[in-house]
Amino acid sequence: MSVFLIDGGIPLKGTVRISGAKNAILPALAACLLTDGKTVLKDVPNLEDVHTMCNLLASLGARVNFNVEKREITIETTSVIEDTAPYELVNTMRASFLVMGPLLARKGRARVPLPGGCAIGSRPVDLHLKGFSALGATITTGHGYVEARVNGRLTGARIYLDFPSVGATENILMAAVLAKGQTVIENAASEPEIVDLATMLVSMGANVTGAGTDTIRVIGTDKLHPTEHMVIPDRIEAGTYMLAAAMTGGEVNIENTMADHLKPVIAKLREAGVEITEEFNRINVRAVRRPKAVDVKTHPYPGFPTDMQAQMTAFLSQAEGTSMVVETIFENRFMHINELKRMGARIKIDGRTAIIEGGVQLMGAQVRATDLRAGAALVLAGLCAKDRTEISEIHHVDRGYEAMEQKLRALGARIVRV
């Protein structure tokens, strides 16, 4: 297994280009199942999860070509013949469950194993299944699989989500575009990745309005056509490099990013005293002094993203004063804290609140990435720690960050993969 070795203490300086969004490309790949023909996706990040989803589509009968150099995937879905997703692929990545809506809509049957992914808490698929049931599907579970069936086509319905789940919104949206009549999804997630998926579906001939708000309306159509689609930049990757620049006392230009998608992160960094300049497709981050303590509470978009909580906790370990971080989305998303404490961070956990006494010099240590964002937080901590940090289980990091060590080395960091 590979590890990261980091010798910290170097202020990051330079320019980094942000890759296409992991959380946008995965539903976009699933959406290709809705149509016959050849769809092209552009600015695709070369990530482990992307390869897993490509393998999943191929197992269903699609022909998939990932041109890594061109950052482009071509998916030919005319020959999709399978309606059962293999356990060994779905078990490794929760987003694999997103094939259920498209398969159900197109083939009238979908059989998908209960999903795996990062162990950050309970993320039940009940909302997905309630949505499919409202659209007319019959749901059965057993032997570790979920099966949905419908005689003929799905039928539009009014669906209220108990929680604005991103995955449930995406899955139900993809099922609804081929349903008869109108579907209304209320209390829908409003993340930029939802808007990106809706933009792709519209370019395929779907009738979708309201994406980006809490109410999405879909008028079903008989058939969709292939398209070309450019994936939006990854706002979580951008936010991670913003914090890396601020933690190390550096100055970094972050290119291929959208400041509108990062408003809560930008607001908290400015509150902490970090200088941020927003330009078209670029954000400049400059740390002029040690940051000040701030309080953070995660919320669904447009609130502070839970996917930035671990990295923000690492950042606040370097801020002067006492900060509080409240995690409202996932109950197990503080697993990185014990690892940060091994490096000298002063953090106490009280329920879903982390109390951080900042301003301490972190010390290099052997630590373990327990999940994707926890791994990113440990990389950030290693960048400003004294002496060497060794991070194991970095396959978690590879699921969401393309060539992280190469991008950081280009900014002056001393980091290697061995």
Side-chain angles (χ1 to χ4, degrees):
M1 300 292 286
S2 297
V3 300
F4 281 149
L5 300 180
I6 306 173
D7 294 310
I10 305 295
L12 300 186
K13 296 184 183 297
T15 299
V16 61
R17 184 191 185 277
I18 299 304
S19 302
K22 166 180 121 61
N23 289 336
I25 184 59
L26 299 180
L29 283 165
C32 295
L33 295 170
L34 290 164
T35 183
D36 286 337
K38 187 179 294 184
T39 295
V40 179
L41 301 174
K42 299 183 176 181
D43 201 17
V44 178
N46 183 21
L47 299 172
E48 183 179 323
D49 278 9
V50 175
H51 288 279
T52 299
M53 184 64 91
C54 288
N55 291 336
L56 176 56
L57 295 185
S59 75
L60 297 171
R63 290 194 290 270
V64 182
N65 178 42
F66 188 174
N67 188 322
V68 174
E69 288 186 5
K70 292 179 66 177
R71 315 179 73 83
E72 187 172 287
I73 295 180
T74 303
I75 309 99
E76 168 65 60
T77 49
T78 304
S79 59
V80 170
I81 54 174
E82 296 292 333
D83 52 28
T84 299
Y87 169 79
E88 61 271 16
L89 293 175
V90 177
N91 184 55
T92 63
M93 185 182 69
R94 182 175 185 80
S96 304
F97 201 73
L98 291 175
V99 302
M100 192 162 203
L103 285 176
L104 177 62
R106 180 173 172 183
K107 299 185 68 66
R109 179 179 182 268
R111 186 169 179 267
V112 180
L114 291 169
C118 287
I120 56 174
S122 175
R123 299 194 286 182
V125 295
D126 294 2
L127 295 179
H128 304 238
L129 302 182
K130 286 180 182 178
F132 298 149
S133 180
L135 294 171
T138 300
I139 309 296
T140 57
T141 59
H143 306 289
Y145 277 80
V146 179
E147 182 175 328
R149 286 179 176 270
V150 64
N151 292 323
R153 289 172 62 189
L154 297 168
T155 303
R158 182 175 290 271
I159 300 165
Y160 179 85
L161 298 180
D162 295 332
F163 177 83
S165 161
V166 173
T169 300
E170 292 169 340
N171 230 342
I172 296 167
L173 171 59
M174 288 188 284
V177 293
L178 292 180
K180 293 182 292 186
Q182 177 174 269
T183 298
V184 180
I185 307 172
E186 297 178 308
N187 198 29
S190 59
E191 273 78 353
E193 294 79 13
I194 300 289
V195 178
D196 193 58
L197 175 60
T199 300
M200 177 181 171
L201 293 171
V202 169
S203 73
M204 297 167 73
N207 187 332
V208 180
T209 57
T213 74
D214 63 359
T215 303
I216 299 176
R217 288 178 168 82
V218 184
I219 298 176
T221 187
D222 292 340
K223 189 175 182 180
L224 299 180
H225 55 76
T227 190
E228 288 192 2
H229 179 68
M230 177 80 74
V231 178
I232 59 171
D234 195 313
R235 61 193 171 101
I236 304 303
E237 184 192 22
T240 300
Y241 285 107
M242 290 171 68
L243 291 179
M247 283 180 72
T248 61
E251 179 175 3
V252 174
N253 291 311
I254 298 166
E255 295 187 336
N256 189 42
T257 191
M258 304 174 75
D260 281 352
H261 294 173
L262 288 157
K263 287 181 179 179
V265 177
I266 291 172
K268 285 300 173 182
L269 282 175
R270 283 178 171 155
E271 186 182 338
V274 180
E275 289 188 3
I276 297 178
T277 304
E278 303 172 36
E279 302 174 15
F280 176 75
N281 209 34
R282 171 195 286 236
I283 300 173
N284 176 270
V285 180
R286 180 168 174 259
V288 293
R289 63 185 70 86
R290 180 179 286 276
K292 299 178 293 184
V294 297
D295 294 337
V296 174
K297 189 174 186 179
T298 63
H299 284 289
Y301 190 85
F304 193 92
T306 182
D307 278 354
M308 285 296 303
Q309 179 262 108
Q311 303 92 302
M312 193 69 179
T313 300
F315 167 76
L316 292 173
S317 75
Q318 300 304 287
E320 290 288 357
T322 301
S323 304
M324 287 197 303
V325 174
V326 181
E327 173 58 56
T328 70
I329 309 298
F330 295 124
E331 67 274 17
N332 288 345
R333 209 158 202 178
F334 281 150
M335 291 191 292
H336 54 283
I337 287 179
N338 282 337
E339 302 301 303
L340 289 173
K341 289 169 72 173
R342 286 175 55 81
M343 301 177 69
R346 294 197 294 252
I347 307 174
K348 296 179 181 178
I349 302 175
D350 182 7
R352 290 197 171 196
T353 300
I355 303 165
I356 306 155
E357 295 180 34
V360 300
Q361 172 65 64
L362 297 179
M363 303 296 292
Q366 289 183 323
V367 291
R368 178 176 66 94
T370 54
D371 61 71
L372 167 55
R373 307 306 174 185
L378 294 175
V379 170
L380 298 188
L383 292 173
C384 58
K386 184 178 180 181
D387 299 327
R388 173 163 289 186
T389 299
E390 178 180 318
I391 306 173
S392 62
E393 299 191 30
I394 60 173
H395 61 277
H396 289 298
V397 178
D398 293 336
R399 291 185 53 229
Y401 292 90
E402 181 178 24
M404 189 180 208
E405 73 277 19
Q406 296 174 32
K407 291 185 179 184
L408 287 171
R409 278 202 302 270
L411 298 174
R414 292 178 297 199
I415 175 173
V416 295
R417 178 191 296 257
V418 298

